[in-house]
Amino acid sequence: MRKPIIAGNWKMNKNAAECRELVKELLPKVKDAKCDVVICVPFTDIALAAELTKGSNVKVGAQNIAWADSGAFTGEISAAMLKEAGAEYVIIGHSERRAYFGETDKSVNARLVQAIKCGFKPIVCVGETLDEREGGKTETVCKTQVVGAFDGIDAGAAKDVVIAYEPVWAIGTGKTATDEQANETIGYIRSVVEELYGKTVADAIRIQYGGSMNAKNAAGLMAQPEIDGGLIGGASLKAEDFSIVVAAAK
């Protein structure tokens, strides 16, 4: 049995005071969760969030990681910096990074290799745009992104990576894939992992749904056999909503 994982992606939201307020409200609401619970906060909130969640069942993640140990990479943040701040997880290749900041399959792979090397638990995002879905390219896009991301990574490391399937057309739009659409595509992604690494790894790897999962639709999505959790955007910014999503993951 794969243990579900619900990860909140705060994106570019919440200053320190707001972080403190949200985490303090969230902790008692999710203390009995039957899934792994992660909050991926802005870089400036990581140390505070790590301090506030110490001793709890909530883990802290970052929203990006540099592929280099250090150097002239303005605006990037290194694994050592993230580790010192208290991050355990890291999101890699989010569609917003791909769309707005030039992230490619090659750079996603470089960041993933670095995250694994430095002992982080990576959440790697893949997914198609609306044009690609309507053009019948969903499977081609997802396969290309998965194969590219995992290039050169061995089976032992691959099985511990979390994949987040996030249809780009469903992020921040209020649109959501139907439960069946999400399950079907995640099942396909699992078949790609099986092609790369075999059935044992494919059965072990956790694949989340990341397209506007929220308090209203989480139960239906989480009831699907292939869906192992969610990468939650807007709903992770409210303790009550996020806790409802967490409760749906059993």
Side-chain angles (χ1 to χ4, degrees):
M1 290 289 288
R2 297 182 297 269
K3 187 177 185 182
I5 176 169
I6 301 293
N9 176 14
W10 289 12
K11 305 188 180 184
M12 197 174 71
N13 295 290
K14 304 295 181 184
N15 61 26
E18 292 165 335
C19 171
R20 184 180 296 275
E21 182 181 354
L22 178 52
V23 172
K24 285 191 169 180
E25 186 183 351
L26 178 65
L27 289 180
K29 292 181 183 293
V30 299
K31 63 182 175 60
D32 297 320
K34 300 294 190 287
C35 62
D36 288 336
V37 182
V38 185
I39 51 172
C40 295
V41 304
F43 297 138
T44 52
D45 289 336
I46 291 173
L48 174 60
E51 177 190 324
L52 294 170
T53 56
K54 192 177 291 180
S56 79
N57 62 322
V58 176
K59 305 303 180 186
V60 175
Q63 298 172 17
N64 201 6
I65 186 172
W67 57 82
D69 291 331
S70 61
F73 300 104
T74 301
E76 288 289 330
I77 190 158
S78 74
M81 293 168 182
L82 293 176
K83 192 153 283 189
E84 184 178 58
E88 292 183 46
Y89 285 79
V90 61
I91 298 171
I92 299 172
H94 191 278
S95 63
E96 290 158 3
R97 299 295 312 171
R98 293 177 190 260
Y100 305 141
F101 304 104
E103 205 77 71
T104 65
D105 293 341
K106 188 173 181 179
S107 65
V108 168
N109 172 249
R111 295 183 195 278
L112 179 56
V113 167
Q114 178 75 344
I116 291 169
K117 183 185 87 172
C118 296
F120 287 90
K121 297 172 182 174
I123 298 172
V124 176
C125 303
V126 301
E128 80 284 9
T129 65
L130 183 59
D131 284 348
E132 288 165 343
R133 173 164 278 272
E134 290 180 343
K137 298 177 181 175
T138 294
E139 292 188 353
T140 302
V141 170
C142 290
K143 182 171 186 174
T144 299
Q145 290 180 351
V146 170
V147 171
F150 284 86
D151 184 36
I153 292 167
D154 66 32
K159 70 178 172 50
D160 295 323
V161 175
V162 176
I163 299 175
Y165 166 58
E166 38 161 37
V168 178
W169 49 272
I171 297 171
T173 63
K175 293 181 180 179
T176 312
T178 66
D179 299 348
E180 293 75 21
Q181 280 176 324
N183 188 68
E184 180 183 1
T185 306
I186 286 174
Y188 173 74
I189 291 169
R190 198 177 303 284
S191 76
V192 174
V193 174
E194 184 171 352
E195 282 180 35
L196 293 174
Y197 298 108
K199 189 169 180 1
T200 301
V201 173
D203 287 345
I205 200 166
R206 296 185 291 181
I207 308 178
Q208 301 172 310
Y209 176 69
S212 296
M213 185 186 284
N214 56 47
K216 292 180 180 176
N217 61 28
L221 287 161
M222 286 305 307
Q224 297 295 316
E226 295 289 353
I227 300 177
D228 302 319
L231 182 59
I232 315 302
S236 70
L237 301 176
K238 296 178 181 177
E240 180 65 24
D241 287 1
F242 191 58
S243 66
I244 291 170
V245 175
V246 168
K250 298 173 183 174

